[in-house]
């Protein structure tokens, strides 16, 4: 105990060593990102988003809200779309991750990337990588016959209407409100791939 100038008793303040951070334990993992194997040693609390951006230098995947609400961090994990900010990197040891940087084949843009350019599906561009990755995953879901909340007939393959696209892309926000152009780009790319 110690006394202050007014005579009030206070608990003893711990020494600095009591506040030192414990030594960090790292975990070795292998991520297959955009077709390339990466051996990493990460703090097990590292999100997939931070592993991509900070450890692999892939800045295309954006950190928006960091709470899974905006979709700016959407990537494809074994072909399925996920929010990279909500997933720990160690959970995906050995899995295949595709980011916006991995969609094009050399100089040839992915059909969705080309459609976004044709239809001006972006303004500031911050959400665009997540929008495009989400749209790639969404088109695969439609091809697989997976229904959404607005799919009219569950016994048939979903029809890719504007309402269907808006519903399926609702997890990706655009602060610039470029939604009509995004829908047009997705419809264009879906027609080009059909």
């Amino acid at each position: 105990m110690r006394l202050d100038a007014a005579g009030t008793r206070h608990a003893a303040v711990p020494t600095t060593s009591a506040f030192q951070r414990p030594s960090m334990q790292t975990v070795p993992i292998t991520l297959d990102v955009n077709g390339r194997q990466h051996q990493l040693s990460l703090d097990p609390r590292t999100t997939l988003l931070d592993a991509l951006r900070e450890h692999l230098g892939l800045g295309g995947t954006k950190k928006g809200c960091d709470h899974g609400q905006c979709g700016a961090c959407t990537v494809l994990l074994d072909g399925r779309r996920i929010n990279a900010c909500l997933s720990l990197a160690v959970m995906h040891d050995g899995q295949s991750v595709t980011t916006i940087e991995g969609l094009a084949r050399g100089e040839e843009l992915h059909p969705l990337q080309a459609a976004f350019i044709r239809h001006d599906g972006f303004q500031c561009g911050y959400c665009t990588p997540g929008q495009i990755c989400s749209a790639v995953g969404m088109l695969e879901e439609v091809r697989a016959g997976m229904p959404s909340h607005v799919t009219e007939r569950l016994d048939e393959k979903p029809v890719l209407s504007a309402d269907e696209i808006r519903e399926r892309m609702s997890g990706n926000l655009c602060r610039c409100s470029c939604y009509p152009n995004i829908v047009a780009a997705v419809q264009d790319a879906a027609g080009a791939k059909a």
Side-chain angles (χ1 to χ4, degrees), residues 34-97:
N34 300 328
R36 249 184 93 208
Q37 294 263 323
H38 297 273
Q39 306 290 326
L40 301 169
S41 185
L42 300 173
D43 178 325
R45 300 169 294 180
T46 304
T47 63
L48 179 58
L49 174 61
D50 287 339
L52 294 170
R53 291 181 59 81
E54 296 174 19
H55 296 273
L56 297 178
L58 296 171
T61 304
K62 303 300 186 218
K63 184 179 274 197
C65 67
D66 213 18
H67 294 290
Q69 297 175 346
C70 72
C73 66
T74 304
V75 296
L76 300 168
L77 181 71
D78 290 335
R80 301 284 310 267
R81 56 191 172 151
I82 67 162
N83 289 338
C85 74
L86 293 181
S87 191
L88 298 175
V90 296
M91 297 167 55
H92 306 297
D93 187 20
Q95 291 183 297
S96 175
V97 178

Side-chain angles (χ1 to χ4, degrees), residues 114-177:
F116 264 67
I117 291 170
R118 272 194 306 278
H119 293 276
D120 199 19
F122 53 89
Q123 285 183 30
C124 79
Y126 196 82
C127 73
T128 306
Q131 296 276 1
I132 291 173
C133 284
S134 187
V136 169
M138 183 263 300
L139 289 178
E140 288 304 316
E141 293 166 10
V142 170
R143 279 190 199 89
M146 296 171 68
S148 77
H149 290 293
V150 299
T151 302
E152 291 186 24
R153 302 237 4 191
L154 298 180
D155 59 338
E156 295 178 5
K157 189 174 180 179
V159 175
L160 203 56
S161 65
D163 286 340
E164 191 78 40
I165 293 169
R166 282 191 289 271
E167 171 63 25
R168 289 174 183 268
M169 294 292 292
S170 64
N172 291 82
L173 303 180
C174 174
R175 289 176 56 162
C176 302
S177 297

